[in-house]
């Protein structure tokens, strides 16, 4: 747990440095984006959604379904989904 929190903290510090350090030399931080494979846009209520927004709208639910299917069929998913057993389960702090 400590290593996970330290890694997240280090990533935050490095990201902060990537945004702030270019200003020390009078430059602005560069933002790199990937090209969208198609050009499309939809306007809903004054907000314009471009191709990358629409692609995320389609791909996120698809990848969620793929993840659920993989975990339901893999041994790891079965182990993670089992009801916990052991002395801590009988404790009053475990909600059932």
């Amino acid at each position: 747990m400590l290593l996970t929190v330290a890694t997240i903290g280090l990533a935050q510090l490095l990201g902060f440095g990537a945004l702030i350090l270019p200003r020390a030399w009078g430059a602005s931080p560069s933002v790199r984006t990937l090209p969208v494979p198609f050009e499309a846009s939809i306007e809903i209520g004054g907000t314009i959604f471009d191709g990358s927004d629409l692609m995320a709208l389609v791909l996120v639910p698809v990848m969620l379904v793929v993840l659920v299917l993989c975990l339901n069929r893999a041994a790891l998913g079965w182990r993670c989904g089992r009801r916990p057993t052991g002395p801590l389960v009988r404790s009053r702090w475990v909600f059932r």
Side-chain angles (χ1 to χ4, degrees), residues 63-82:
M63 294 307 295
L64 182 64
V65 168
V66 168
L67 178 66
V68 167
L69 290 174
C70 287
L71 286 177
N72 280 336
R73 287 172 170 70
L76 175 66
W78 281 100
R79 276 189 229 120
C80 292
R82 269 195 317 196

Side-chain angles (χ1 to χ4, degrees), residues 10-81:
L10 181 63
Q12 292 292 316
L13 287 174
L14 291 174
F16 177 74
L19 291 174
I20 297 302
L21 283 177
R23 293 185 185 173
W25 288 275
S28 64
S30 62
V31 178
R32 297 184 186 122
T33 60
L34 296 173
V36 182
F38 59 91
E39 294 293 327
S41 64
I42 295 176
E43 182 176 354
I44 299 175
T47 304
I48 299 173
F49 298 98
D50 62 352
S52 60
D53 297 324
L54 297 174
M55 192 163 42
L57 186 68
V58 171
L59 287 180
V60 167
V62 168
M63 294 307 295
L64 182 64
V65 168
V66 168
L67 178 66
V68 167
L69 290 174
C70 287
L71 286 177
N72 280 336
R73 287 172 170 70
L76 175 66
W78 281 100
R79 276 189 229 120
C80 292

